[in-house]
Every structure is written in C-alpha cells, then in structure tokens.
Amino acid sequence: TNRDGLKYKFWGLEFNMNKRLSNKWMSRITFGYSRQTESYDGTAGIQNPSYYGESPTNRDGANVMRLGSGSGASIWFAYGWSFNATGLYQLPYDMEIAGNIFTRQGYPWPHYHRIYLGPTEGNQDVYATEDAADIRFDTVFNLDIRFAKNFQFGDTHRGGTIAFELFNLFN
C-alpha cells in the first residue's frame, strides 16, 4: 500500500564481464554496489514513531533492510557491495583447473533493547544504536577450486571426468 509522505528509494551500480570459452579459458566477473533508503515528507508517513516498528529506524534517509520470516522473526538482509569472479583454464592432456571467489559485505546485526510497557501494552523494541546497520556481521569470503581430468572412450562421444574439488577453502 502507499502511504502519503513515505518514499522508498533504491539505486545501484553493477559491473559484469563475461568471457566465453575460447583459447582454452573462460571467466565471469561481477561487482555490485547498492543503497536503498526510506524518506519522509514531514511526519505524515510515519505510522509508528517508536524508533523500531516497521522500518529500521523511522529516520529520514535510513537504510531499508528488514523483512519478516515465517517464524515471525525479522531478517536483516541488506548489504552494500558484493564481488564474484569465476574462471576456468584448460590444461594439456584434457585437464582443467577452475575456481570461484565470492565476497560481500556482512549483513546488518541490529542491537536493540526490549522494554516492557506494562500488562496492557506489552513489549517495545528500541534500537541501541543510531542506525540498524551500525553493527554488521563479518564480511563473507568464499573460495572454491576444482581440478579435473576428462576422458573419452575411443571415437565415441562417451567419456567421463575425474574431479578434485574443494569448497569454501578457508572455512
């Protein structure tokens, strides 16, 4: 639904480079940077001024990042940047080596205090930091590598591959 006085804004930049398999190698590199915010024209768009409620901070220009889950808990998913690079090189004797690197900024980890408002009012969550994204989980870094030997049986198109793969090498 639309609320007068409330605006969501998203902007982002994405870079992609693909090199299809030729001359014995291929690669794909992506980088993305984004920001999404909410802003208010006066106080008309604010439904719950409690500094938690429906939006991360109910502050003009605040990050928008909260989603509900099936369990009723909040999921904080916004990150500002991500990078991914994948490559494969074909070695002599029908062997190949490949790898993938993925990294992104850690998800926000908002800290808040739960305040008891009384038997009829229940609890209210209030942020302990100025912005929901002031504290974040660690940056994610993942490296996968693969070494493979391809076989072909006779003059047919039948064959197979023996592969050695390591996933999330540093974890």
Side-chain angles (χ1 to χ4, degrees):
T1 61
N2 294 327
R3 289 196 326 237
D4 291 334
L6 173 62
K7 294 180 183 152
Y8 291 103
K9 181 179 179 182
F10 173 85
W11 67 267
L13 174 68
E14 186 172 301
F15 167 78
N16 293 300
M17 189 279 300
N18 287 307
K19 199 266 185 207
R20 301 203 186 276
L21 182 61
S22 65
N23 298 321
K24 300 188 179 209
W25 72 280
M26 67 181 185
S27 177
R28 180 179 61 89
I29 299 171
T30 64
F31 174 78
Y33 183 83
S34 65
R35 177 146 170 86
Q36 44 188 352
T37 60
E38 62 183 15
S39 60
Y40 303 95
D41 295 331
T43 59
I46 300 174
Q47 287 186 334
N48 182 352
S50 68
Y51 199 52
Y52 189 73
E54 299 168 6
S55 69
T57 59
N58 283 327
R59 288 187 308 121
D60 194 31
N63 290 315
V64 177
M65 61 189 79
R66 182 177 179 222
L67 283 180
S69 69
S71 67
S74 295
I75 299 171
W76 298 83
F77 67 94
Y79 55 89
W81 59 268
S82 66
F83 174 80
N84 194 90
T86 300
L88 176 132
Y89 184 75
Q90 293 176 323
L91 301 167
Y93 307 107
D94 287 328
M95 293 186 291
E96 58 192 35
I97 188 166
N100 183 69
I101 296 172
F102 172 75
T103 185
R104 71 161 165 74
Q105 183 180 31
Y107 288 152
W109 186 19
H111 288 60
Y112 58 91
H113 299 288
R114 179 158 289 164
I115 299 171
Y116 178 67
L117 300 175
T120 60
E121 299 295 323
N123 296 320
Q124 180 66 51
D125 294 328
V126 179
Y127 276 103
T129 58
E130 185 174 338
D131 192 316
D134 284 346
I135 301 171
R136 291 183 172 271
F137 287 103
D138 292 339
T139 297
V140 173
F141 180 80
N142 186 40
L143 174 64
D144 303 329
I145 59 171
R146 178 178 194 263
F147 179 77
K149 168 70 172 129
N150 299 308
F151 296 95
Q152 186 174 347
F153 303 115
D155 293 334
T156 67
H157 292 288
R158 296 181 185 168
T161 300
I162 296 176
F164 174 75
E165 299 175 333
L166 290 172
F167 298 99
N168 200 4
L169 189 61
F170 296 114
N171 187 358

